[in-house]
């Protein structure tokens, strides 16, 4: 079975990736540090720290920067992905709010030109639901709500518990099998 990356590691923001994304998008937009800070309504020193991979950016700061850069927040937060990606409950890089007891964890950004279908799954133990490959470019995203499930690529499925997230190629054979009665999941099928 595939071991998730970062399992057991403390949850923290990917500051180096955020810094690189900020520099890349600011350069793409042709903006100076001062101009981007002004447009985002943040201090130039705060932006400079973020581009140096220092500081603790809050949700509101990241949102303001994404609006000023005219990009979705996911462009600044989404880490590079492998073909199979697991995020255990509480393990993803959460961005806390600066004004409320609230945190957002980006599980997956929608690539340009993608279409997503959302499903609620009720799965009971017994025979697995084995699926043939869907159309090329399909990716499936699974979040377990209740119970436990074994899901993902047929040759290398992953055991998941409530709150765990898994993405895997839907354009290759894959499986889903409940390990406990009353298992429920949310499935997002992304088509490009």
């Amino acid at each position: 079975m595939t071991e998730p990356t970062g399992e057991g590691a403390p949850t923290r923001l990917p500051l180096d990736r955020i810094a690189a994304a900020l520099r890349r998008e600011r350069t793409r937009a042709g903006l100076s540090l001062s101009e981007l800070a002004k447009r985002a309504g943040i201090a130039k020193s705060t932006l400079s720290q973020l581009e140096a991979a220092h500081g603790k950016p809050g949700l509101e700061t990241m949102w303001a920067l994404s609006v000023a850069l005219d990009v979705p927040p996911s462009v600044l937060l989404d880490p590079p992905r492998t073909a199979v990606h697991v995020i255990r409950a509480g393990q993803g890089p959460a961005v806390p709010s600066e004004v409320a007891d609230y945190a957002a964890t980006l599980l997956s950004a929608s690539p340009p030109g993608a279409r997503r279908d959302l499903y609620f799954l009720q799965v009971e133990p017994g025979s697995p639901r084995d699926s043939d490959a869907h159309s090329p470019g399909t990716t499936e995203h699974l979040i377990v709500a209740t119970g436990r499930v074994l899901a993902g690529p047929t040759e290398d499925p992953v055991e998941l518990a409530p709150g765990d997230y898994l993405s895997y190629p839907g354009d290759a054979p894959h499986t889903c099998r409940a390990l406990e009665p009353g298992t429920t999941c949310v499935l997002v099928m992304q088509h490009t």
Side-chain angles (χ1 to χ4, degrees):
M1 290 186 353
T2 300
E3 285 300 314
T5 53
E7 184 174 21
T11 301
R12 61 183 186 82
L13 291 174
L15 293 177
D16 54 340
R17 289 193 298 263
I18 291 171
L22 280 170
R23 285 189 303 273
R24 179 189 68 238
E25 293 303 318
R26 183 175 59 79
T27 300
R28 179 199 53 81
L31 299 173
S32 67
L33 274 170
S34 297
E35 182 60 24
L36 177 56
K38 179 180 171 186
R39 288 184 184 189
I42 64 172
K44 179 181 174 185
S45 60
T46 299
L47 179 57
S48 179
Q49 284 184 328
L50 292 177
E51 284 199 8
H54 299 298
K56 273 177 102 171
L59 190 60
E60 291 79 8
T61 298
M62 296 307 298
W63 186 267
L65 287 166
S66 71
V67 169
L69 289 165
D70 194 28
V71 297
S74 60
V75 168
L76 303 178
L77 298 172
D78 196 33
R81 303 285 181 169
T82 57
V84 175
H85 185 73
V86 178
I87 299 176
R88 299 287 182 199
Q91 294 290 314
V95 182
S97 170
E98 296 163 350
V99 297
D101 187 7
Y102 179 97
T105 300
L106 177 67
L107 299 177
S108 173
S110 183
R115 188 185 89 224
R116 289 188 169 177
D117 301 323
L118 182 66
Y119 299 90
F120 179 73
L121 306 179
Q122 296 173 312
V123 189
E124 295 298 331
S127 298
R129 170 64 173 104
D130 292 324
S131 298
D132 291 330
H134 301 305
S135 59
T138 300
T139 301
E140 293 193 0
H141 305 267
L142 188 72
I143 302 169
V144 178
T146 59
R148 287 180 24 257
V149 69
L150 187 66
T154 302
E155 299 301 318
D156 196 18
V158 178
E159 186 174 325
L160 304 167
D164 288 348
Y165 163 79
L166 169 69
S167 71
Y168 53 92
D171 57 3
H174 50 282
T175 189
C176 181
R177 179 169 60 94
L179 301 175
E180 290 181 4
T183 296
T184 58
C185 306
V186 174
L187 173 69
V188 178
M189 290 183 66
Q190 174 182 298
H191 312 280
T192 53

